[in-house]
Structures are given as C-alpha cells and as structure tokens.
Amino acid sequence: MKDIKIESILTVYEDYNELPEDIVSLMDTASKARLKAYAPYSKFLVGAAILLDNGEVISGNNQENASYPSGLCAERTAIYYAGAEYPDAKIVRMALTAGSQKQPTTAPIPPCGACRQAISEYEVKQDSPIEIYFMGTSGKVVKSHSLANLLPLGFDRSFL
Ligand code: THU
C-alpha cells in the first residue's frame, strides 16, 4: 500500500482591487446578481457571473423555496442557463460572491460541493479548464485555475 498526496493550488488576492480589470468587471456583474438573490430563508445572498468564449456574460443568483431542498444555488442557476442558452459555448471563468444579510461576510466563500459537481460536468464536457474566482462581499478573493482543482477525486463520465 502507499499514500497518495493530492494538492490544490489557489491564488489569493488580498483585495478585490488587486484583480485584473476584466475580472473586476465579471465580479461586479456577480455582485449585481447577488443583490437580486431570492434568499428570504437563509438571508445568505450569492451571485455568480460566467464569461463564455463567445463573449456572452451570464449571471445568476440563489433562488430559495419554502420547501428548502427545492431551492437552487447561484452557481447552478447561472451555469444551467448558460448550458441551456449556449450549449456549444465554452465557459472561460466564473466569478462568485456571497454575503449574509445578518453579518459581514469577509471570508472568500467557495462553491458548495453540489455546485462543484455541476460545474465539473461542463469542464469535462468542454475539455478545458474553468477558472473560478470567489469572495465574500469584501476582503480576499481566491482564484482556482480550474474546477478540478477544487474537486479532488471527482466523479465524471469516464467512470460510466
Ligand atoms: N448557496 C449558493 O447559492 N451557492 C453555494 O455554493 C452555497 C450556498 C446558497 C444556497 C442557499 O440559498 C444559501 O446559499 C444558504 O445555503
């Protein structure tokens, strides 16, 4: 037997203002989407913005439901719309921002496990990495060069 080490490499920006201009713009779109989230139960608002290789930008936010599991995260709201509207486009990157209405959210908020699985499907489908940038409402911004980097030992079509 042997141990296997799996590493993830992340880039941490100390502040949103350190980001390249085009990423700031995508994050601004995610922030605008966050402010329109429908999150009356958790009071935790999440916004996502996706840049496609055809230049289109898609945004989405979390949509909650009185039947809690029927709600959907911002990332999946956005990525499923992108997949539905532009099935042949590749996703270049995603910007994510999340904030609680109950307290300040300064920690970078990563996509949940279910969203990582959903994003992974598109990364595998397009056979090129999807960059992910995530933050709270202020503070550090984290960049992952791919989704796979955030989901070690991912389950994908190759196992089927
Ligand atoms: N949420 C997202 O939109 N994305 C995530 O990756 C994590 C969680 C939403 C779901 C729910 O509406 C609220 O945040 C609290 O979990």
Side-chain angles (χ1 to χ4, degrees), residues 42 44 46 62 64 73-75 110-112:
S42 72
F44 193 76
V46 186
N62 49 331
E64 296 189 349
C73 290
E75 295 87 330
C112 77

Side-chain angles (χ1 to χ4, degrees), residues 34-46 64 98-105 137:
R34 170 170 50 78
L35 296 173
K36 292 189 281 187
Y38 178 61
Y41 305 105
S42 72
K43 309 278 188 202
F44 193 76
L45 280 59
V46 186
E64 296 189 349
S100 171
Q101 290 177 318
K102 298 185 276 194
Q103 68 224 1
T105 306
T137 54

